[in-house]
Amino acid sequence: MLPISLCIFDLDGVIVDTAKYHFLAWRNLAKGFGYDLTEEQNEKLKGVSRIDSLDLILSWAGIEKSGEEKKLLAAKKNDEYLLLIKNITHRDLLPGVHEFLRQLISLGVKTGLGSASKNAKVILEQLGVSNLFDVIVDGNMTTKGKPNPEVFIMGAAMCLVPPNRTVVFEDAAKGVEAAKAGGMYAVGVGNESDLGEADLVIEGFEGFTYQSLIKKIAI
Ligand code: B16
Ligand code: MG
């Protein structure tokens, strides 16, 4: 039996770099109420749901809005985001991730997507990789955001794989925290300094294989 039978992938920052488009759309929205959003602040929005991101930006700006106003602002941001990602294609897949997914499938390891994004299915379609996932759990299916493990626990349960045979790939510290809280292995994709809680941190998927995963998380 394979020691790891399920790999769950976050979307933004792991499969594709959409963080830059989230940033542009949030920054333009914030400009509308006279606030200048920085790239450092955008880092804190990674893996955070749309409405929670808006709440954070409003609190940084020291602005209060009613529930109705917030709904309109979140919708406005999403409209701009959808325009920005309209031309995403297969070429926007982050290097090596397609090859790694295909290797997992050839070995019989299940694959899942676990994202806070409500646009995850549209993005996967545009990237042409929807069919590479056994299960897709997105922000439309969950009620608790990362670092709550709900999104990953749901994915593993749908695949009938126990958490201790599941690895989560995440670019956000909150996502790593969520995976660990769910009893799963966590691989951080990005910088050691941001993702130190992970069992393993990789820069990206180029040259990364199932064998290197097993070796490095010492199962
Ligand atoms: P949406 P992930 C997250 O995706 C993004 O990192 C975060 O910046 C975004 O606010 C969130 O999705 C919600 O996205 O507005 O498209 O529903 O990293 O969990 O794949
Ligand atoms: Mg992410």
Side-chain angles (χ1 to χ4, degrees), residues 104-146:
L104 294 176
I105 294 165
S106 73
L107 291 171
V109 178
K110 289 190 174 166
T111 56
L113 188 98
S115 169
S117 175
K118 293 187 171 177
N119 297 302
K121 286 188 178 155
V122 177
I123 296 171
L124 290 182
E125 276 299 307
Q126 279 181 231
L127 293 168
V129 292
S130 303
N131 60 340
L132 298 184
F133 295 95
D134 292 296
V135 66
I136 296 171
V137 184
D138 67 15
N140 297 296
M141 299 160 73
T142 53
T143 54
K144 301 174 197 111
K146 301 166 188 175

Side-chain angles (χ1 to χ4, degrees), residues 98-197:
H98 193 217
E99 292 75 6
F100 182 54
L101 277 162
R102 286 163 54 118
Q103 191 212 11
L104 294 176
I105 294 165
S106 73
L107 291 171
V109 178
K110 289 190 174 166
T111 56
L113 188 98
S115 169
S117 175
K118 293 187 171 177
N119 297 302
K121 286 188 178 155
V122 177
I123 296 171
L124 290 182
E125 276 299 307
Q126 279 181 231
L127 293 168
V129 292
S130 303
N131 60 340
L132 298 184
F133 295 95
D134 292 296
V135 66
I136 296 171
V137 184
D138 67 15
N140 297 296
M141 299 160 73
T142 53
T143 54
K144 301 174 197 111
K146 301 166 188 175
N148 187 289
E150 184 186 23
V151 63
F152 300 134
I153 287 178
M154 209 183 265
M158 285 162 81
C159 288
L160 305 174
V161 174
N164 65 0
R165 291 186 43 219
T166 301
V167 170
V168 170
F169 292 88
E170 255 293 349
D171 70 315
K174 283 192 177 72
V176 166
E177 212 186 308
K180 299 305 296 171
M184 299 165 187
Y185 292 98
V187 176
V189 183
N191 296 323
E192 183 82 49
S193 54
D194 302 326
L195 304 166
E197 298 300 308

Side-chain angles (χ1 to χ4, degrees), residues 10-12 22 45 47-48 50 53 115-119 146:
D10 173 55
L11 178 67
D12 293 331
H22 280 297
L45 303 180
V48 178
R50 194 181 310 163
S53 298
S115 169
S117 175
K118 293 187 171 177
N119 297 302
K146 301 166 188 175

